[in-house]
């Protein structure tokens, strides 16, 4: 399909389904010299380096495996033919100011990428919080279920807020009873987590914020 045909198709679709204020912006982007028909995705962690025949350059410069120095410009096809691609991988290191590639152990490269993704997910979760709601008059069975859920979220790397509040129509416990309940619930998590900020205790509610302690 030619570019002009694609443009006409997208223009017609734009008029049919988009609000007028979005039509103008979309058409502007289509006319932009930087427009590219490339699908984009939300980031799911560090992308693996482009490698082998997916490298979008015909001529590249290779980092010599032993000296670390740059070789003269070489056709990518020649580099790929010289490498055992079952055991090794040609990776694009950078493309600015010129495409530079290096030869890496295929298994080591994959393992390093997996570790980077794992570290990314762990750091992303560390900043996310989950909330567990508990009432002052919670029965033992429900409390056990809520604590089990909180522990599971902590084990995954999330921070967890335990929010204790009254149920509608439920008699509010006395201050000393509330304090005892808060301590009791906290003790159920302190073997795997710690409170990372001060408790927020109000007249009718209490909030405790936990994060998993390092193993």
């Amino acid at each position: 399909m030619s570019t002009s045909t694609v443009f006409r198709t997208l223009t017609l679709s734009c008029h049919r389904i988009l609000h007028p204020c979005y039509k103008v912006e979309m058409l502007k982007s289509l006319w932009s010299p930087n427009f590219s028909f490339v699908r984009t995705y939300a980031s799911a962690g560090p992308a693996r380096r482009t490698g082998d025949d997916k490298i979008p350059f015909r001529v590249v410069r290779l980092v010599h495996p032993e000296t670390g120095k740059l070789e003269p410009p070489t056709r990518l096809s020649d580099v790929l033919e010289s490498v055992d691609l079952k055991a090794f991988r040609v990776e694009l290191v950078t493309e600015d100011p010129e495409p530079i590639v290096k030869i890496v152990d295929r298994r080591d490269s994959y393992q390093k990428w997996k570790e980077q993704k794992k570290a990314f997910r762990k750091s992303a979760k560390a900043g996310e919080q989950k909330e567990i709601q508990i009432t002052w008059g919670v029965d033992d069975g429900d409390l056990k279920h809520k604590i089990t859920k909180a522990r599971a979220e902590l084990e995954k790397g999330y921070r967890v807020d335990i929010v204790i509040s009254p149920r509608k129509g439920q008699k509010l416990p006395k201050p000393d009873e509330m304090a005892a309940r808060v301590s009791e619930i906290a003790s159920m998590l302190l073997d795997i987590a710690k409170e990372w900020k001060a408790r927020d205790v109000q007249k009718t509610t209490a909030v405790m914020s936990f994060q998993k302690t390092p193993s």
Side-chain angles (χ1 to χ4, degrees):
M1 184 183 290
S2 67
T3 302
S4 60
T5 303
V6 173
F7 177 80
R8 285 197 300 273
T9 302
L10 286 174
T11 302
L12 288 172
S13 299
C14 172
H15 280 287
R16 287 173 185 152
I17 65 175
L18 292 181
H19 187 279
C21 64
Y22 293 116
K23 294 176 185 176
V24 175
E25 293 303 319
M26 183 173 180
L27 292 176
K28 282 182 179 179
S29 67
L30 288 171
W31 281 116
S32 168
N34 296 321
F35 178 78
S36 175
F37 294 97
V38 177
R39 183 179 297 162
T40 58
Y41 300 88
S43 175
R48 195 177 184 190
R49 281 177 171 169
T50 305
D52 301 337
D53 58 356
K54 298 295 190 297
I55 296 173
F57 299 100
R58 293 184 178 180
V59 177
V60 297
R61 296 191 67 182
L62 174 67
V63 178
H64 194 282
E66 295 179 0
T67 66
K69 295 182 179 180
L70 285 176
E71 296 286 295
T74 310
R75 289 190 304 176
L76 175 63
S77 58
D78 291 343
V79 176
L80 294 175
E81 288 176 5
S82 68
V83 176
D84 177 5
L85 295 178
K86 290 183 179 180
F88 297 94
R89 186 171 189 260
V90 179
E91 288 188 345
L92 180 65
V93 179
T94 184
E95 54 187 73
D96 186 25
E98 58 184 341
I100 296 175
V101 300
K102 67 177 181 179
I103 299 170
V104 297
D105 182 278
R106 186 170 291 277
R107 183 175 297 179
D108 288 348
S109 172
Y110 179 69
Q111 188 61 36
K112 182 178 180 180
W113 174 63
K114 281 181 63 178
E115 290 172 358
Q116 289 174 341
K117 288 193 70 175
K118 184 177 179 180
F120 176 87
R121 287 194 297 268
K122 185 176 181 180
S123 63
K125 285 182 179 180
E128 295 183 22
Q129 290 190 202
K130 300 289 184 177
E131 185 176 284
I132 306 293
Q133 295 276 350
I134 298 175
T135 62
W136 290 111
V138 63
D139 61 53
D140 291 343
D142 193 28
L143 178 58
K144 183 178 179 180
H145 172 73
K146 294 291 181 71
I147 294 300
T148 299
K149 184 177 180 181
R151 294 175 74 93
E153 298 294 0
L154 288 164
E155 289 290 358
K156 293 176 185 176
Y158 294 108
R159 285 177 170 174
V160 175
D161 281 353
I162 302 293
V163 180
I164 314 173
S165 58
R167 180 179 294 170
K168 186 176 181 180
Q170 187 181 67
K171 184 180 178 181
L172 195 66
K174 296 177 182 179
D176 59 332
E177 294 174 334
M178 292 172 64
R181 193 58 151 169
V182 169
S183 297
E184 176 193 4
I185 292 172
S187 68
M188 297 177 176
L189 295 171
L190 292 179
D191 61 315
I192 66 163
K194 65 179 181 180
E195 294 182 63
W196 64 275
K197 66 178 181 181
R199 296 175 183 176
D200 181 9
V201 180
Q202 304 295 329
K203 185 176 180 180
T204 62
T205 62
V207 181
M208 294 178 287
S209 301
F210 293 91
Q211 67 181 13
K212 191 175 186 302
T213 51
S215 301

